[in-house]
Amino acid sequence: MATTFLEFSPTNSFVSTQRSSAKRRKFVHLRAAAEMEEEEEDLNHQPLFHGLPDHISQQCLSLVPPSVLYSVCRSWRRLIYTTSFPPFLSLYALFESTETLPQLSNRLRFCSFDPISCKWQNIPPPPPEFSCSFLLRHPSFISRDFSIQSLAVSGKLVLLAATDDQFQPALSGPILFDSLSQKWARGPSISAPRRWCALGASRGAVFVASGFGSHYNSDVARSVEKWDLNTQYLKQQNQWRWEKMADLKDGKFCREAIDAVGWRGKLCMVNVKGDAAKDGTIYDVETDSWEDMPKGMLAGWRGPAAAMDEETIYAVDETRGSLKRYDHSRDSWVDLMENEMLKGAQQVAAAKGKVCVLRADGAGIVVVDVAAPPPCRLWVVDAPPGFHGVAMHILPRLCCP
């Protein structure tokens, strides 16, 4: 299926158009014309508006959708990727090569999908001192995937848990990427490096619950730690630290790599994936306490889930291939749509009226417009040739270097 143009606009609404082949040809024609214009345009600095200072012009242009600015001229096209222009949102994904490569590290690549140019671009790799090997699978573990656990929080991409080629936790602490500065940083070391844990974020803080270290440890399997990335810490990274929080009542949540979904000041999670019988629990961020998951929420949790702005939970039923929304007032799930491409979904992310679903084969990301009047529209952003997706998030777009 052809990639569809999509745009997270700076006005916090997500403008999308599902292109037919005719519209696709028209867009390619316009892009080719824009590239020719760029080659012919004077490379010296051009004012955004003749007769107006650039800072005033920027204020005017910031009210215009970036897709419109992109097709006008080179100076406006460059503006939308600068730090002075309100950042629109983009898809970020971790890809694995579909080719057999001898070097394990060369098989993985972080990319960002630019919704304006409709292109994937590589993001800068972590610096050498941050480098480590990640094991995704091994022939001795036919039915086990070794997940690389990451999340998006406060505009940052955070990697926190993985397995190395010696079957040990690959990360002693988080490493994070800032899409606006295009820089990597190291977070504070966690007390017990782990994998197969529950990882989530709420109100600018990262939470890690349970997990499995180099071997099973009941204390680690019940432990919960918090890392606050709020503004006061960002100014002084040497003050970043993990705080120990209230323990889980048991160690049932160290069997899988779990997404702890941040929702209305709470973290919701289940202990196994898919359609299997499962246990569910909810952590209250404010009171540092645990409570049972409502019966209706647990009964309908049959696949990956995510919350839109921490307000509304969306989940995919892996078996049926259906997208559902949780109705808190009725403790029930509302079916929104059903599609074959959603079966076996790996991951869900949600932002600004769109739910993005990483397909089972990793060949693409399904985007569903849940803000539009029913029936829901969907389209696919294809993975780069020769790669398939392993993880996916929504973050602010990359800035010009």
Side-chain angles (χ1 to χ4, degrees):
M1 181 178 293
T3 302
T4 300
F5 176 74
L6 52 102
E7 172 189 336
F8 287 93
S9 77
T11 57
N12 292 338
S13 62
F14 189 173
V15 181
S16 62
T17 55
Q18 188 167 4
R19 298 180 302 192
S20 64
S21 58
K23 289 181 179 178
R24 181 181 178 86
R25 287 193 297 269
K26 180 180 178 181
F27 182 82
V28 171
H29 173 73
L30 290 174
R31 186 166 61 193
E35 290 173 353
M36 291 179 60
E37 176 191 343
E38 181 173 335
E39 293 178 359
E40 297 173 357
E41 190 173 0
D42 186 3
L43 295 179
N44 294 327
H45 173 74
Q46 296 291 324
L48 298 174
F49 279 120
H50 289 288
L52 280 180
D54 275 357
H55 70 279
I56 296 178
S57 300
Q58 289 177 10
Q59 293 181 18
C60 299
L61 294 176
S62 66
L63 304 176
V64 180
S67 58
V68 175
L69 301 182
Y70 184 86
S71 61
V72 175
C73 64
R74 182 174 182 268
S75 59
W76 288 13
R77 191 153 52 246
R78 287 187 57 84
L79 172 65
I80 65 178
Y81 297 105
T82 62
T83 56
S84 59
F85 191 85
F88 52 87
L89 297 178
S90 299
L91 287 171
Y92 286 73
L94 174 61
F95 290 105
E96 179 189 18
S97 172
T98 55
E99 301 175 0
T100 302
L101 297 175
Q103 299 87 2
L104 185 65
S105 60
N106 287 346
R107 295 175 59 191
L108 298 176
R109 178 180 299 178
F110 279 104
C111 297
S112 171
F113 181 76
D114 184 340
I116 307 302
S117 64
C118 293
K119 294 180 180 179
W120 286 103
Q121 57 187 117
N122 296 334
I123 72 173
E129 61 269 23
F130 292 179
S131 64
C132 53
S133 59
F134 295 144
L135 182 67
L136 294 177
R137 59 191 62 85
H138 192 275
S140 298
F141 299 83
I142 298 175
S143 61
R144 164 69 72 176
D145 286 339
F146 297 90
S147 301
I148 300 173
Q149 291 185 256
S150 56
L151 78 165
V153 56
S154 297
K156 311 291 188 297
L157 172 65
V158 177
L159 277 69
L160 197 137
T163 301
D164 67 14
D165 51 6
Q166 300 299 315
F167 301 102
Q168 301 291 321
L171 295 167
S172 60
I175 57 174
L176 61 157
F177 176 75
D178 186 328
S179 61
L180 298 182
S181 67
Q182 296 197 41
K183 293 182 179 179
W184 289 87
R186 189 186 295 277
S189 297
I190 195 167
S191 62
R194 62 194 78 190
R195 55 241 173 93
W196 303 327
C197 54
L199 177 62
S202 178
R203 298 177 179 176
V206 176
F207 292 83
V208 176
S210 192
F212 195 102
S214 56
H215 59 278
Y216 176 80
N217 181 291
S218 59
D219 290 336
V220 173
R222 295 179 59 244
S223 68
V224 180
E225 297 191 50
K226 171 187 174 182
W227 170 36
D228 197 334
L229 277 79
N230 286 317
T231 305
Q232 62 268 28
Y233 289 96
L234 290 174
K235 295 179 179 178
Q236 299 181 9
Q237 293 185 7
N238 61 341
Q239 294 183 14
W240 274 347
R241 60 189 177 87
W242 289 95
E243 303 174 57
K244 183 172 175 55
M245 312 305 289
D247 286 345
L248 287 156
K249 64 180 181 181
D250 55 49
K252 293 182 179 179
F253 290 82
C254 64
R255 304 173 186 175
E256 302 262 12
I258 298 168
D259 290 327
V261 178
W263 173 68
R264 302 186 177 188
K266 299 181 179 182
L267 291 170
C268 308
M269 59 190 191
V270 295
N271 65 331
V272 292
K273 297 180 178 180
D275 211 14
K278 52 179 65 70
D279 293 319
T281 188
I282 292 181
Y283 174 75
D284 191 310
V285 173
E286 293 295 329
T287 62
D288 187 27
S289 61
W290 293 91
E291 59 191 63
D292 292 334
M293 180 175 284
K295 292 182 179 180
M297 177 185 283
L298 179 60
W301 201 301
R302 292 290 179 257
M308 184 89 67
D309 301 323
E310 297 195 29
E311 281 296 321
T312 305
I313 298 179
Y314 294 88
V316 172
D317 187 315
E318 295 182 31
T319 303
R320 293 174 50 209
S322 62
L323 177 65
K324 304 182 293 184
R325 181 185 70 244
Y326 179 63
D327 185 336
H328 174 258
S329 61
R330 299 182 179 182
D331 187 27
S332 63
W333 294 86
V334 179
D335 286 330
L336 300 179
M337 66 168 301
E338 191 170 322
N339 190 283
E340 286 288 322
M341 291 188 292
L342 301 181
K343 288 186 176 180
Q346 295 188 54
Q347 188 182 1
V348 175
K352 310 309 177 191
K354 300 296 177 289
V355 175
C356 302
V357 182
L358 181 60
R359 294 179 59 180
D361 58 5
I365 297 169
V366 180
V367 183
V368 183
D369 187 350
V370 295
C376 295
R377 296 179 297 152
L378 65 79
W379 57 92
V380 175
V381 175
D382 295 322
F387 288 86
H388 62 249
V390 175
M392 172 266 309
H393 300 289
I394 299 172
L395 288 163
R397 54 89 177 106
L398 295 173
C399 282
C400 292

